[in-house]
Amino acid sequence: MTADLVYGRRAVREALRGRREVLELHASRRAVAAEPWLRETAAPRLRVEQERDLSALAGTSDHQGVVALCEPYGYADAHELAAREQPLLACLDQVTDPRNLGAVCRSAEGAGATGVVIPAHGSARITPAVCRASAGAVEHLPVAVVPNLARWLNETKGPELWVWAASAESGTPMWEADLAGGVSFVFGAEGRGLRPLVRRACDAAVTIPLGGRVESLNVSVAAALLLYEARRQRGA
């Protein structure tokens, strides 16, 4: 079986609590001393190793003394996510920075979103860096990949699922937008924004009013604000 690498204390801890099997668990003595959940792991798969060996295994020193090998990440079905009752979805149009994808997943999971949808091409996928940036949220949040984001939006939108383009320039202010029903928020890459076909697949645009001089927010911050506003309007 091909194994996925997961590193970082929170990311590995959530992997142990998540849907996929952890095949191997490696930790430094310092991490084992600091993290009770590592000491309580009774499985023989826990191997205590030197920090340099963990860095070599992870391919980075950003592992916080914990590295795991897990079964491959299982992506969700995007049409099934859209078909759920009152879905709340975050769709990312060619967001390539793994830290941004991870941060969006962390916010989406915290907001109780139905899932995250990303295109198959020109987008970050679930990698060790994304797992780390999400603090393990990807282990509990469905993430789906679609061949063509614009086509999927056109196929799934309707009276029960409204598609909102997150816009920094124009649109209905988030406080005035009706976000209480089924919602797909679509976020573009920083600098480029949404591609024209993706933008045309959206029903309307929603904007986050800004009180300062900056022209826009980081995509993960924008996603968090809109997802939590949708949750607030639902009375959750």
Side-chain angles (χ1 to χ4, degrees):
M1 176 190 295
T2 302
D4 278 2
L5 189 71
V6 178
Y7 58 77
R9 297 185 186 185
R10 288 188 178 182
V12 172
R13 185 178 186 185
E14 296 308 321
L16 288 165
R17 299 171 59 197
R19 302 182 296 265
R20 52 180 171 166
E21 182 182 358
V22 175
L23 306 173
E24 295 181 16
L25 184 58
H26 306 258
S28 66
R29 293 187 183 279
R30 182 184 304 177
V32 172
E35 300 292 341
W37 59 272
L38 279 172
R39 297 196 299 273
E40 294 163 5
T41 301
R45 59 191 167 185
L46 177 59
R47 304 176 187 178
V48 180
E49 300 184 19
Q50 298 292 324
E51 292 272 354
R52 62 177 179 271
D53 296 325
L54 296 177
S55 296
L57 177 60
T60 176
S61 60
D62 191 32
H63 50 71
Q64 298 180 310
V66 185
V67 181
L69 293 177
C70 305
E71 67 177 350
Y73 187 83
Y75 289 97
D77 184 285
H79 283 84
E80 289 182 2
L81 295 180
R84 294 187 186 179
E85 184 178 358
Q86 278 194 309
L88 177 57
L89 298 167
C91 309
L92 305 182
D93 184 27
Q94 294 193 322
V95 172
T96 58
D97 189 330
R99 293 167 297 182
N100 279 336
L101 174 56
V104 169
C105 289
R106 186 175 185 178
S107 295
E109 203 282 329
T114 308
V116 169
V117 178
I118 55 178
H121 304 289
S123 174
R125 300 285 282 267
I126 302 302
T127 64
V130 172
C131 295
R132 171 84 163 84
S134 78
V138 296
E139 305 300 338
H140 310 291
L141 176 77
V143 177
V145 178
V146 293
N148 186 302
L149 182 59
R151 182 185 305 143
W152 176 82
L153 291 171
N154 282 315
E155 290 172 349
T156 57
K157 69 180 182 180
E160 303 301 319
L161 181 57
W162 197 258
V163 180
W164 290 95
S167 173
E169 299 176 355
S170 61
T172 304
M174 61 186 288
W175 322 120
E176 301 173 15
D178 182 0
L179 309 176
V183 170
S184 287
F185 290 118
V186 189
F187 303 92
E190 291 190 54
R192 297 193 305 271
L194 297 178
R195 290 172 293 168
L197 283 177
V198 172
R199 177 62 185 87
R200 287 199 289 271
C202 299
D203 294 305
V206 60
T207 188
I208 300 169
L210 299 176
R213 295 188 178 184
V214 297
E215 297 179 352
S216 64
L217 298 172
N218 175 275
V219 63
S220 62
V221 175
L225 288 170
L226 289 173
L227 289 167
Y228 272 92
E229 173 59 17
R231 180 180 178 184
R232 184 193 69 80
Q233 290 190 18
R234 296 175 181 206

